Amino acid sequence: MRMKIAIGCDEAGYKLKEVIRDFVGNKGHQVQDVGVFDESPVLYPDYAVKVAMLVAKGDCSRGILICGTGIGMCISANKVPGIRAAVCHDPYSAQRARMSNVAQILCLGARVVGAELAKTLTDIWLRCEF
């Protein structure tokens, strides 16, 4: 199933966001990148809310947020009504985030997971249905 996926990050997640954005696009999904577009410092909640609102309004099917740990983005996204965001650092949590918790937003920590693991987690999360 092809989806429209919103993606956003802060400066700590910028490099990983670029990798994951391309990975998701190469899987055939449409990606809406809300930023950031360089490593200049930003207020991460601004980007978490942008992605969460796109998902909550139905403009995007799901979202991916990336910061240093994934935690800050997750907390901020979960403040948007109707949103379920989950921090995932291993394949089991990525699977359960979708299948048990119906999480629409995947949060990753760029200082916690490497690019290859992040791709694996993203792939699992995209393929899982509830």
Side-chain angles (χ1 to χ4, degrees):
M1 175 173 75
R2 302 296 176 227
M3 296 176 278
K4 185 172 181 183
I5 309 294
I7 190 167
C9 66
D10 67 2
E11 70 277 4
Y14 169 70
K15 288 180 182 174
L16 183 58
K17 187 234 354 164
E18 296 291 295
V19 169
I20 297 301
R21 182 196 63 215
D22 293 346
F23 177 77
V24 171
N26 288 336
K27 291 278 183 187
H29 301 288
Q30 183 181 352
V31 181
Q32 183 167 343
D33 187 344
V34 303
V36 300
F37 301 105
D38 61 35
E39 294 179 283
S40 300
V42 297
L43 298 172
Y44 69 86
D46 294 344
Y47 295 88
V49 169
K50 285 181 185 183
V51 167
M53 290 301 295
L54 287 169
V55 174
K57 290 191 293 186
D59 295 337
C60 292
S61 303
R62 299 191 200 167
I64 300 171
L65 289 166
I66 306 169
C67 64
T69 63
I71 297 168
M73 287 291 199
C74 188
I75 291 169
S76 296
N78 278 319
K79 290 182 179 185
V80 174
I83 290 299
R84 289 174 306 282
V87 179
C88 299
H89 295 143
D90 61 82
Y92 185 72
S93 63
Q95 178 191 53
R96 298 324 308 170
R98 280 295 301 154
M99 296 181 75
S100 295
N101 304 112
V102 196
Q104 313 113 306
I105 297 179
L106 171 67
C107 300
L108 300 170
R111 294 179 179 147
V112 180
V113 299
E116 291 307 310
L117 179 54
K119 288 181 200 175
T120 298
L121 300 177
T122 301
D123 188 50
I124 290 168
W125 181 79
L126 287 171
R127 287 186 290 115
C128 283
E129 291 300 326
F130 48 91

